[in-house]
Amino acid sequence: MQEMNKILLTKDDMTNPAVVPEWVIHEYNTFHQIVTNDTFPCYFGMKAEMKGELRYAYITKDDWSNLPNAVEEFLMLFVEPPYVRHGLFVFVEPEEEKDDLEHYRKRFWDILQYLHENDKQKWPDNKPKDPEHYLWDFHFGGEPIFVFGNAPAYKQRKTRNLGNSLILGFQPRKIFEGLEGTQKGGIMSREKVRKRVEKWDKLPKHPDISHFGDPDHNEWKQFFIGDDAEPIQGECPFHHKGQ
């Protein structure tokens, strides 16, 4: 029996041809191979992938309509504690020919904008709507979520190249409890991961990487970093739908 209408997917689903198309199986296998490599810098991601704690979804190049439902379903995993450190990875159908980083950056922000436009819940009143505010964070379903882009156009920052797909990673803020920017555990964990990232990428930490709440920092710039060590210039492509 075909189960192609399933939206939020597990590890088993991602290799099941009754549930996902062939391109998803291929891209997931590449993703799995990279993320479970012993030297992969993000050991939280590595452990979660090995334990089957990650969730997945996919969208085609032209149809993003199941994405809001997938993120809604994913957020239901966090309704009650204890919060497992689940992450959601959304695979976008690969381009016929690989494009440059700016192409994937634009696609990333277009997808986030689409998700925001289709959010049934109101943006929290007490949260900044302007991405230039240092306390701005992306919200969906009333929840603050860190979103980061991975694309095949990354050549130097190999940790952001997870296959032929543009892949969006979603991490609700809830999973960082106890690992916040000013907490000792958070500082130590981040430093360990960053050292491993620098080793993998053979590049220094990107200048826009910091912790949430840093007054000299714009959170949106961390969402899709450059393939270099140059600060991101210009304004955030995201616009709050009420403005």
Side-chain angles (χ1 to χ4, degrees):
M1 179 178 154
Q2 291 289 303
E3 297 179 68
M4 285 281 189
N5 57 354
K6 197 170 178 188
I7 293 172
L8 189 66
L9 305 165
T10 63
K11 192 174 174 177
D12 288 343
D13 294 330
M14 291 298 276
T15 53
N16 184 344
V19 180
V20 296
E22 191 59 43
W23 72 262
V24 172
I25 295 172
H26 180 77
E27 290 309 319
Y28 170 72
N29 283 334
T30 303
F31 167 90
H32 177 80
Q33 211 171 352
I34 294 168
V35 172
T36 56
N37 182 307
D38 287 349
T39 60
F40 188 71
C42 181
Y43 43 78
F44 294 122
M46 185 201 299
K47 282 181 184 167
E49 170 63 11
M50 290 171 92
K51 285 181 177 174
E53 290 172 354
L54 298 182
R55 293 294 178 270
Y56 318 88
Y58 69 90
I59 54 178
T60 64
K61 289 191 286 259
D62 308 312
D63 183 6
W64 305 345
S65 57
N66 70 335
L67 180 61
N69 292 335
V71 180
E72 271 176 36
E73 267 191 52
F74 175 66
L75 291 175
M76 293 301 291
L77 300 173
F78 301 91
V79 170
E80 291 176 2
Y83 304 123
V84 175
R85 289 203 167 97
H86 290 296
L88 170 66
F89 286 87
V90 176
F91 290 70
V92 184
E93 185 182 6
E95 309 283 333
E96 278 153 34
E97 288 182 28
K98 286 181 189 172
D99 218 314
D100 64 7
L101 199 65
E102 283 314 305
H103 168 84
Y104 292 103
R105 188 192 302 274
K106 182 180 185 307
R107 179 61 60 95
F108 170 89
W109 284 107
D110 285 349
I111 291 168
L112 268 199
Q113 189 70 41
Y114 174 87
L115 188 58
H116 171 60
E117 302 280 349
N118 289 277
D119 189 354
K120 293 173 193 160
Q121 289 200 40
K122 194 167 167 272
W123 194 276
D125 289 331
N126 60 340
K127 299 296 179 185
K129 297 179 175 70
D130 179 2
E132 300 309 320
H133 192 292
Y134 77 97
L135 288 175
W136 178 88
D137 206 357
F138 182 75
H139 283 74
F140 183 84
E143 287 292 328
I145 306 172
F146 179 71
V147 191
F148 58 101
N150 308 274
Y154 281 105
K155 298 288 181 274
Q156 299 188 87
R157 295 199 175 274
K158 295 181 180 67
T159 43
R160 294 283 181 131
N161 183 335
L162 301 175
N164 296 312
S165 281
L166 169 65
I167 300 175
L168 288 76
F170 291 79
Q171 295 176 314
R173 286 271 161 220
K174 280 179 178 169
I175 68 171
F176 298 119
E177 282 177 12
L179 296 173
E180 290 92 346
T182 50
Q183 298 274 342
K184 189 179 175 188
I187 294 164
M188 286 171 67
S189 298
R190 269 200 323 282
E191 282 311 308
K192 274 186 191 171
V193 169
R194 282 172 187 168
K195 278 179 186 160
R196 286 165 64 108
V197 168
E198 286 180 16
K199 199 172 171 185
W200 246 57
D201 292 348
K202 298 183 176 64
L203 275 180
K205 182 186 86 172
H206 194 279
D208 290 314
I209 299 284
S210 184
H211 65 268
F212 182 71
D214 177 351
D216 300 319
H217 161 70
N218 287 117
E219 185 72 359
W220 70 266
K221 291 181 178 178
Q222 288 199 120
F223 281 25
F224 203 106
I225 58 173
D227 196 24
D228 50 29
E230 297 300 315
I232 290 171
Q233 304 297 327
E235 291 185 356
C236 180
F238 176 84
H239 295 285
H240 190 276
K241 59 185 172 182
Q243 292 181 318

